[in-house]
Amino acid sequence: MTASINRRQLLSGTAAAGLGIAITGNIAAVAGTRASEGYGELVDDPDGLLSLPAGFSYKLVARTGVTTTTDGAKTASDPDGTGVFAAGSGWVLVNNHEIGRTIAQPPGPEAFGVPPLPGLTYDPGNRGGTSTIEVDAEGNRIAEYVSLAGTSTNCAGGVSPWGTWLTCEETEDRAGRVRQKDHGYVFEVDPSSQAANVGKSPVPLKFLGRFAHEAVAIDPATTVIYETEDADEPNGLFYRWVPPEGFSAGKDALRTLALDSGGDTAGRLQAMSCYRGSRHILDLSAATTPGTRYTVQWVDVPDRDAATASVRSQLTDEQVTRGRKLEGAWWGDGGAYFVSSFARSSDGSLNEHDGQIWLYDPATESVTLQTLFGVNPDPTVDTDSYDGPDNITVSPYGGLILAENGAGIQHLVGVTDQGKTYPIARNDLNDSEFTGPGFSADGRILFACIQSPGHVFAITGPWRRPSNADT
């Protein structure tokens, strides 16, 4: 996610390539820009913060350096991936902080770290982690507390079927002068209370691999965990973890497995390899038409803890299928949605694009290109062209919600199940990315963040199924 600065540099001199969008189900793949009316045009925010359609409004739930936790600290910097959970008559948010700076570095843009509290801290040399925020049924802030500290670059993650949050470290940093432990792991956070995480949330789930994790999506029927990797040189991979025989899923089960003898290598970690017929697909950017479908095979990872070489470099291009900036993931519609945020020929991609949304279907062992964003000709102009999808969630009203992390104006973007895009919100404050979209279980509130200067929002309004499908 923080690589968007480099992406902005890459965009100079690129040309328009159009937009093609398709969502599986009752529609066919289409090509060409197609805009939905959605919830209508965005209305400029008089406070210059968040523009929304008429009838919608927002509340600020948390603000970096302004709101205060129950531990007496200010809300930490860089809010990112967020899990939303029911709690009594209200909601609980588990909010990642994508903080990479260590305690030995000047604060800079990440001035507010996650406090290293006893029993909640993995590595006191690092300042990332998660905050848990309690809100009432209307999205009003009640309280906030630390639920995990001492991790690094907590980017996205995923909600488990048993009601926990898996937070992902998007880094491959090793222990050194300041860092006391290796990083690049997934951790599990319990949203029920701070006490529920003491001695538990700081346990790394090493069997899920050590790499630049972005997000996870879990199959509720099999407990297979799908993982995205946001990395380059070489580009990242899409992984799955297959639990060991006899594994019984549930709260605390992953941590218990991690702490068992042999837990570091429990189950099988595998990387995706795609084919069209007998032809191996080297890179996901090979797909240039929505609806493109590849069959999938899985290749075992030799050393998931990357002792001498990164996980992705242990497998050759002939063995796996790579993707540029594999970002958000979410389970829905019987499969794992995942994002490739952009691709450029300069980074080794076969074709250029400004975003792909894929759906992996475990029932057919296939992956299908759902949405394709062509290269945005001018991201500084607010048009129907969007670029750089990042975090993703499935909407209870149909289709998807994407957090834009592009080169210019930033939006929350909806995609209808007729395959049309529409804006939900626009960042009127700056060009910082949107992060962490997720709905409350009753569908009344969409929570989302602007990463810098660090705002967490609760968005409400006349939600409905947005559609203007051709008939």
Side-chain angles (χ1 to χ4, degrees):
M1 292 186 179
T2 52
S4 58
I5 296 175
N6 295 331
R7 182 180 177 283
R8 292 184 177 108
Q9 297 169 347
L10 286 168
L11 277 170
S12 59
T14 56
L19 169 66
I21 295 175
I23 300 295
T24 56
N26 59 354
I27 62 168
V30 296
T33 301
R34 302 175 76 220
S36 167
E37 294 175 356
Y39 300 105
E41 295 184 4
L42 301 182
V43 179
D44 291 343
D45 181 7
D47 294 327
L49 188 54
L50 194 68
S51 287
L52 300 168
F56 284 76
S57 62
Y58 66 82
K59 296 175 181 177
L60 270 169
V61 176
R63 295 178 62 190
T64 291
V66 177
T67 47
T68 304
T69 72
T70 57
D71 312 294
K74 298 296 185 182
T75 296
S77 299
D78 292 355
D80 211 291
T82 304
V84 183
F85 304 88
S89 61
W91 313 104
V92 169
L93 317 180
V94 182
N95 187 216
N96 285 356
H97 297 284
E98 195 184 18
I99 300 171
R101 286 174 174 262
T102 67
I103 59 171
Q105 295 172 309
E110 298 172 340
F112 299 93
V114 179
L117 301 183
L120 297 171
T121 303
Y122 169 66
D123 180 352
N126 275 92
R127 301 168 62 245
T130 64
S131 299
T132 299
I133 307 170
E134 299 175 356
V135 300
D136 66 17
E138 304 304 317
N140 297 300
R141 176 187 177 88
I142 298 173
E144 178 181 347
Y145 57 83
V146 174
S147 45
L148 171 66
T151 52
S152 177
T153 324
N154 295 68
C155 207
V159 174
S160 77
W162 46 91
T164 61
W165 173 248
L166 299 187
T167 179
C168 296
E169 291 188 304
E170 188 194 342
T171 182
E172 297 170 305
D173 289 334
R174 288 194 173 278
R177 185 177 61 85
V178 176
R179 297 180 184 90
Q180 299 178 18
K181 298 180 179 180
D182 291 344
H183 291 265
Y185 296 115
V186 178
F187 299 78
E188 186 172 27
V189 178
D190 188 333
S192 62
S193 68
Q194 187 177 63
N197 289 290
V198 173
K200 295 181 179 180
S201 63
V203 175
L205 307 179
K206 292 187 176 182
F207 51 78
L208 294 179
R210 193 183 71 81
F211 54 86
H213 285 91
E214 177 72 29
V216 302
I218 304 177
D219 184 340
T222 63
T223 321
V224 172
I225 300 178
Y226 299 92
E227 310 176 74
T228 54
E229 179 181 35
D230 184 0
D232 56 14
E233 297 181 347
N235 285 339
L237 302 173
F238 183 64
Y239 300 91
R240 75 173 184 183
W241 175 76
V242 181
E245 187 175 352
F247 177 75
S248 181
K251 189 174 287 189
D252 296 331
L254 293 178
R255 188 191 74 259
T256 300
L257 181 63
L259 294 173
D260 280 349
S261 176
D264 290 359
T265 56
R268 300 173 68 185
L269 184 65
Q270 302 175 312
M272 182 179 70
S273 185
C274 297
Y275 291 82
R276 170 162 275 182
S278 61
R279 180 170 64 90
H280 178 245
I281 305 300
L282 294 173
D283 191 279
L284 289 173
S285 68
T288 57
T289 305
T292 297
R293 182 176 179 270
Y294 300 134
T295 58
V296 169
Q297 298 179 17
W298 296 95
V299 181
D300 287 334
V301 168
D303 171 24
R304 70 184 80 184
D305 205 49
T308 59
S310 67
V311 172
R312 66 187 178 281
S313 64
Q314 296 171 30
L315 300 168
T316 68
D317 291 347
E318 290 70 31
Q319 291 178 289
V320 294
T321 301
R322 302 190 186 277
R324 183 70 172 107
K325 284 195 69 62
L326 298 184
E327 298 272 11
W330 201 270
W331 185 267
D333 300 327
Y337 286 100
F338 66 97
V339 173
S340 171
S341 190
F342 71 89
R344 294 291 182 269
S345 57
S346 58
D347 60 43
S349 298
L350 298 175
N351 295 295
E352 298 193 342
H353 63 73
D354 264 347
Q356 293 177 325
I357 313 298
W358 293 88
L359 178 62
Y360 167 73
D361 181 357
T364 60
E365 282 294 352
S366 66
V367 64
T368 303
L369 180 61
Q370 304 295 103
T371 306
L372 175 67
F373 292 85
V375 177
N376 192 339
D378 189 354
T380 65
V381 177
D382 194 14
T383 65
D384 291 332
S385 293
Y386 307 105
D387 57 292
D390 200 315
N391 283 181
I392 183 174
T393 190
V394 174
S395 170
Y397 301 96
L400 305 171
I401 307 296
L402 312 176
E404 194 176 15
N405 179 17
I409 300 172
Q410 307 298 309
H411 303 83
L412 289 174
V413 181
V415 183
T416 72
D417 44 10
Q418 284 77 37
K420 301 182 180 183
T421 57
Y422 60 94
I424 295 174
R426 183 182 65 233
N427 176 1
D428 287 349
L429 180 64
N430 54 29
D431 64 355
S432 178
E433 65 185 283
F434 276 101
T435 61
F439 274 93
S440 58
D442 63 1
R444 294 181 58 244
I445 306 175
L446 174 63
F447 296 97
C449 316
I450 290 177
Q451 187 171 85
S452 180
H455 295 334
V456 181
F457 299 97
I459 301 171
T460 56
W463 298 109
R464 55 179 169 74
R465 179 177 291 269
S467 173
N468 61 345
D470 298 329
T471 56

